[in-house]
Structures are given as structure tokens and as C-alpha cells.
DNA sequence: CAAGACTCCTGTCAGC
DNA sequence: TGCTGACAGGAGTCTT
């Protein structure tokens, strides 16, 4: 499911509910995720108060009173976080972790178990966070930076911008959208695209992500609440899973595989 | 370092 | 209705 805008929305949702709240109890219902949940380490967060809720790339960080003690959550493809009143909470299929607060529980649920939950004392050095590229909305992600990264690679431009070591937060959907807006073919070799094109691409990445973030309040909440509604940004999408190009209206959107992932584009707008 | 294949897991949907 | 195979918004690991 989640790329940067979705994770940002979930982060805000969690932030509003758990900031300054103390974890009263913890239940690990199913430790099997991408890496098994370390029951003992997660237990260390009991009786601790959440001081900060932040996001780094597609990771959500719950930071505690105790210096540096942090829960790191990745939603994988199907991870969701939802809240219930304690009295109304009934275990659902694929619930993995339950954090008990005064009146509410926070539940991590993940059908495909591609997500992960870690506890670390040193988030900046934690193996999953250490090598991450810059945030796409930051100044560090700019034309010069991306052009420099691209020049040393032969992979496709789509793989380049989806590589979390190059820039964080972009997944299959927003990669397709940003490339369409920039009129760049997703299969183009990263090192054969002009600097001018990268300038346009950087601008469009920032634009499409910030627009998606700004719309994060609507249907994503239902998704967060595990109500099973589809992603909120779907009505705004231009090429992802679309049949026709919004510009060349009779032209069918192409769908090819690039390193195993569906890649949608318009062959009239986006030439190789 | 870079690139490619492989892997984890469950649910859904199209086609027969 | 049931079976089968393809596919799903991710990313680490292993090998070359």
C-alpha cells in the first residue's frame, strides 16, 4: 500500500492519538513479520511515554521519553495501523501487535507480513534507516543531486527514483505519475536523460507528492481504520492502472514490467 | 559499488 | 462452483 503520502498520513493520524501517551501494556499476537518482532525489546517500551512521532522515508518512528528508545515501523505492502477503544477491541485476522494506552489500543495489522517492527536505541544508525537517501521534499533532493546519482547508473529512470537509497518515499504509483507528468519513458536509462529533464522530474516528484499529502485526510483514514476502502488518491491518478491517456484520449495506456513491477505510461507522451 | 534473480506472504480476480 | 495462475502500492539478501 504505502508510499510517502500514505505513510505521512498514517504518521499524522498516529501522532494525534499517541503523543505524550504512556504505553500501559503490549501484546505481540503474531511476531512473524519480515523480521520477527523482538518481544523482549518491544517489552522495554512498556510504561514509557511517547515523546515524538516522525517519519523517515516510508518508516514511522515512535520515539520515547527515554533518550533514543524508538519503535520503527514499516508498513510493507499491506500493513495498516488502526485504533480501537480497549473495551471494543476484538482481535482481527492478521493483527500482529497491540499497544495499550489509557483508553485506546493501537493495532498493527499486516496481511502479507512484508512490514516490520523494530526497537532501536540508535535510530540514525539502525540498519534499515542508515543508508536511506534524502527526503524528496527536502532541499537536498534537487536537480544536481539526482543528475549526479543518475550519471553513475545504467538502470532505468523508474528504478532510479524508486531506489530508497537514492531518494526515499517513491513507490510504484508515484513513480508512474511523476514520469508521466515529466514526459519521460519509465524504461529510459537513468544516465541518458538530460539535466533539463531531471529538473522537470524533480519538480514533478515534489509536486505530486505534496498534492497527495495535502489530500491525505479523506479516504486514507478509512484505510487506516482497516475499513478496507481503496486508496484516497485514486481519483487523482493520471496513468497508474488507467485505461486511456488523459492527454491523447484515444491512446491506450501501456503496461510493461520493469524489474518485475507493473509500469504504466503513455507511449505518445513518453517516448524512449 | 552495481545489477539481476530470488525471496518472504496472503488475498483477489480473471479465465477455464 | 471450483481450480489454477497471475498479480498486488516493498525491499533485503545473495550471487556475479
Amino acid at each position: 500500500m504505502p508510499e510517502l503520502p500514505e505513510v505521512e498520513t498514517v504518521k499524522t493520524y498516529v501522532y494525534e492519538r499517541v503523543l505524550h501517551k504512556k504505553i500501559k501494556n503490549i501484546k505481540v499476537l503474531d511476531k512473524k513479520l519480515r523480521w520477527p518482532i523482538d518481544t523482549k525489546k518491544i517489552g522495554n517500551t512498556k510504561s514509557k511515554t511517547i515523546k515524538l512521532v516522525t517519519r523517515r522515508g516510508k518508516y514511522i518512528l515512535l520515539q520515547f521519553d527515554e533518550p533514543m528508545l524508538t519503535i520503527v515501523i514499516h508498513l510493507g505492502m499491506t500493513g495498516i495501523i488502526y485504533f480501537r477503544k480497549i473495551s471494543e477491541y476484538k482481535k482481527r485476522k492478521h493483527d500482529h501487535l497491540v499497544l495499550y494506552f489509557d483508553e485506546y489500543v493501537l493495532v498493527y495489522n499486516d496481511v502479507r507480513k512484508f512490514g516490520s517492527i523494530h526497537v532501536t536505541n540508535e535510530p540514525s544508525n539502525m540498519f534499515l534507516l542508515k543508508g536511506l537517501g534524502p527526503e524528496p521534499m527536502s532541499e537536498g533532493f534537487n536537480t544536481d543531486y539526482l543528475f549526479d546519482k543518475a550519471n553513475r547508473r545504467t538502470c532505468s529512470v523508474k528504478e532510479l527514483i524508486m531506489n530508497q537509497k537514492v531518494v526515499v518515499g517513491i513507490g510504484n504509483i508515484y513513480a508512474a505519475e511523476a514520469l508521466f507528468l515529466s514526459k519521460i519513458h519509465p524504461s529510459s536509462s537513468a544516465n541518458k536523460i538530460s539535466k533539463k529533464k531531471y529538473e522537470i522530474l524533480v519538480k514533478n516528484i515534489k509536486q505530486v507528492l505534496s498534492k497527495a499529502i495535502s489530500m491525505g485526510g479523506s479516504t486514507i483514514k478509512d484505510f487506516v481504520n482497516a475499513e478496507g476502502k481503496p486508496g484516497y488518491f485514486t481519483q487523482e491518478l493520471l496513468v497508474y492502472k488507467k485505461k486511456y491517456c488523459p492527454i491523447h484520449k484515444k491512446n491506450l495506456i501501456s503496461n510493461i514490467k520493469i524489474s518485475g513491477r507493473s509500469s504504466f505510461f503513455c507511449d505518445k507522451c513518453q517516448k524512449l
Side-chain angles (χ1 to χ4, degrees), chain A residues 69-117:
Chain A
L69 183 62
T70 302
I71 297 179
V72 179
I73 301 172
H74 194 286
L75 301 171
M77 293 265 242
T78 52
I80 51 176
I81 289 172
Y82 69 92
F83 288 86
R84 286 288 180 275
K85 280 189 176 170
I86 292 180
S87 57
E88 289 168 11
Y89 173 63
K90 272 189 80 178
K91 182 188 179 311
R92 293 186 178 205
K93 205 174 180 184
H94 307 303
D95 282 353
H96 288 262
L97 175 71
V98 188
L99 301 180
Y100 287 76
F101 297 91
D102 261 333
E103 295 169 38
Y104 290 88
V105 288
L106 177 161
V107 185
Y108 180 88
N109 178 292
D110 192 347
V111 173
R112 286 174 70 185
K113 309 187 201 314
F114 283 1
S116 64
I117 299 172

Side-chain angles (χ1 to χ4, degrees), chain A residues 35-198:
Chain A
W35 292 273
I37 299 175
D38 188 325
T39 308
K40 198 175 160 196
K41 277 192 176 174
I42 200 98
N44 291 339
T45 64
K46 188 172 169 176
S47 302
K48 301 282 194 293
T49 300
I50 295 177
K51 197 180 70 176
L52 211 53
V53 180
T54 56
R55 179 190 58 73
R56 176 76 178 102
K58 297 177 190 172
Y59 295 88
I60 294 169
L61 282 66
L62 305 181
Q63 291 170 258
F64 291 88
D65 253 356
E66 190 170 302
M68 304 308 276
L69 183 62
T70 302
I71 297 179
V72 179
I73 301 172
H74 194 286
L75 301 171
M77 293 265 242
T78 52
I80 51 176
I81 289 172
Y82 69 92
F83 288 86
R84 286 288 180 275
K85 280 189 176 170
I86 292 180
S87 57
E88 289 168 11
Y89 173 63
K90 272 189 80 178
K91 182 188 179 311
R92 293 186 178 205
K93 205 174 180 184
H94 307 303
D95 282 353
H96 288 262
L97 175 71
V98 188
L99 301 180
Y100 287 76
F101 297 91
D102 261 333
E103 295 169 38
Y104 290 88
V105 288
L106 177 161
V107 185
Y108 180 88
N109 178 292
D110 192 347
V111 173
R112 286 174 70 185
K113 309 187 201 314
F114 283 1
S116 64
I117 299 172
H118 284 88
V119 178
T120 175
N121 289 314
E122 212 183 344
S124 59
N125 229 350
M126 194 256 193
F127 79 108
L128 291 168
L129 305 176
K130 201 159 66 175
L132 293 178
E135 289 288 327
M137 311 304 285
S138 71
E139 284 185 23
F141 180 65
N142 55 47
T143 309
D144 286 337
Y145 169 81
L146 189 59
F147 187 62
D148 179 59
K149 287 281 173 191
N151 267 333
R152 294 186 248 149
R153 286 162 209 259
T154 55
C155 68
S156 70
V157 62
K158 180 170 181 249
E159 290 170 281
L160 178 79
I161 61 173
M162 283 177 67
N163 184 339
Q164 303 299 301
K165 294 190 168 80
V166 173
V167 55
V168 297
I170 303 169
N172 208 28
I173 293 177
Y174 295 102
E177 296 297 308
L179 290 167
F180 173 77
L181 291 168
S182 308
K183 300 188 189 299
I184 298 171
H185 194 294
S187 301
S188 306
S189 291
N191 61 6
K192 285 184 181 149
I193 294 171
S194 69
K195 196 165 182 180
K196 183 72 193 163
K197 277 280 187 192
Y198 274 116

